[in-house]
Amino acid sequence: MKFFIDTADVNEIREAAALGLVDGVTTNPSLVARTGRKFADVIAEICSVIDGPISAEVVSTDFDGMVAEAKKLEDPREHRGEDPPHRRGAQGGELVRRSRHRHQRHPLLLALQALLAAKAGADYISPFVGRLDDIAHDGMEVVSQIVEIYENYNFDTEVLVASIRHPGHILEAARMGADVCTVPYSVLMQLIRHPLTDAGLAKFLADWKKVPQ
Ligand code: G3P
């Protein structure tokens, strides 16, 4: 399973990349807004740091506008994606079909939307599991349905699990066979650190001092 980092904070991206934990990056307008920086500057810097897929959302609602924005975002490495928001699904599907490059990522909330996106040829679909959990739905159940549908019909579209809130989401995604998890920096760090691991190490080091040398 690949790990993307879900942030527009370049310092976080650099730190996680140094740990070997970043196969790609996902951003969205909310994440970029938090940086207080210009959108184009943020995306350009991320592209200079990470040699992998980078997702940046277009904000147009019509096909021509989406394509025009996507062209401005084009990265010479072609390791960048446009991210038509789910609410513009019909136009986004058209973008997937007609775009000459295929690095689209579709945030979605229903397995049937994932079926449509795959039929349109999307490279990634992004079920937002945390946001589903927030409204008392089961986000990971949607992931399970999508993985099953894609296996049934041998779609190449990758399942990119997004809106991850805790390590349990990642564990379930891995068990279900999702292709990618895009993970906030804080949750990535939770994967590395466990209080029992820290406590166990501290005890061993303390006891080692009691061992005659
Ligand atoms: O990649 C999608 C993600 O940024 C949304 O996460 O926590 O705002 O639902 P969240």
Side-chain angles (χ1 to χ4, degrees):
M1 189 175 72
K2 286 174 278 190
F3 279 88
F4 289 4
I5 186 164
D6 193 32
T7 183
D9 181 327
V10 183
N11 291 329
E12 289 185 348
I13 294 169
R14 284 184 202 280
E15 281 180 36
L19 294 169
L21 290 175
V22 179
D23 298 308
V25 179
T26 53
T27 71
N28 62 42
S30 309
L31 293 172
V32 176
R34 270 182 228 159
T35 69
R37 299 179 60 200
K38 284 188 183 170
F39 173 67
D41 292 349
V42 171
I43 299 303
E45 191 173 350
I46 295 173
C47 287
S48 74
V49 173
I50 297 297
D51 184 21
I54 295 161
S55 172
E57 285 193 11
V58 298
V59 292
S60 294
T61 55
D62 62 294
F63 175 76
D64 290 336
M66 285 180 185
V67 170
E69 275 188 65
K71 282 190 191 304
K72 278 194 211 159
L73 281 169
E74 271 181 2
D75 169 9
R77 299 168 312 142
E78 293 197 302
H79 279 169
R80 178 244 350 103
E82 303 81 48
D83 198 344
H86 149 64
R87 65 181 179 279
R88 298 162 207 143
Q91 294 284 343
E94 184 67 5
L95 182 65
V96 172
R97 276 191 297 280
R98 288 171 48 182
S99 181
R100 65 184 168 76
H101 44 72
R102 299 179 55 226
H103 293 275
Q104 287 80 9
R105 182 175 83 99
H106 284 245
L108 53 76
L109 303 166
L110 291 173
L112 286 175
Q113 292 172 316
L115 175 59
L116 295 183
K119 282 179 72 66
D123 286 320
Y124 300 99
I125 54 88
S126 297
F128 276 33
V129 295
R131 292 191 188 184
L132 282 164
D133 292 352
D134 288 344
I135 57 165
H137 286 253
D138 184 346
M140 293 313 301
E141 172 58 24
V142 173
V143 174
S144 169
Q145 291 169 354
I146 296 168
V147 170
E148 181 184 358
I149 290 168
Y150 284 6
E151 279 175 5
N152 285 347
Y153 298 102
N154 290 319
F155 284 119
D156 292 331
T157 302
E158 293 191 44
V159 180
L160 192 169
V161 182
S163 187
I164 283 175
R165 302 282 168 75
H166 52 75
H169 278 147
I170 301 168
L171 176 63
E172 278 191 79
R175 294 186 69 185
M176 288 171 183
D179 302 281
V180 192
C181 277
T182 188
V183 186
Y185 179 83
S186 58
V187 179
L188 217 42
M189 293 306 115
Q190 280 183 278
L191 292 183
I192 298 170
R193 298 203 177 93
H194 191 287
L196 291 181
T197 307
D198 293 345
L201 181 59
K203 170 114 177 72
F204 284 154
L205 290 176
D207 286 345
W208 179 247
K209 289 183 183 153
K210 300 175 196 162
V211 176
Q213 303 294 322

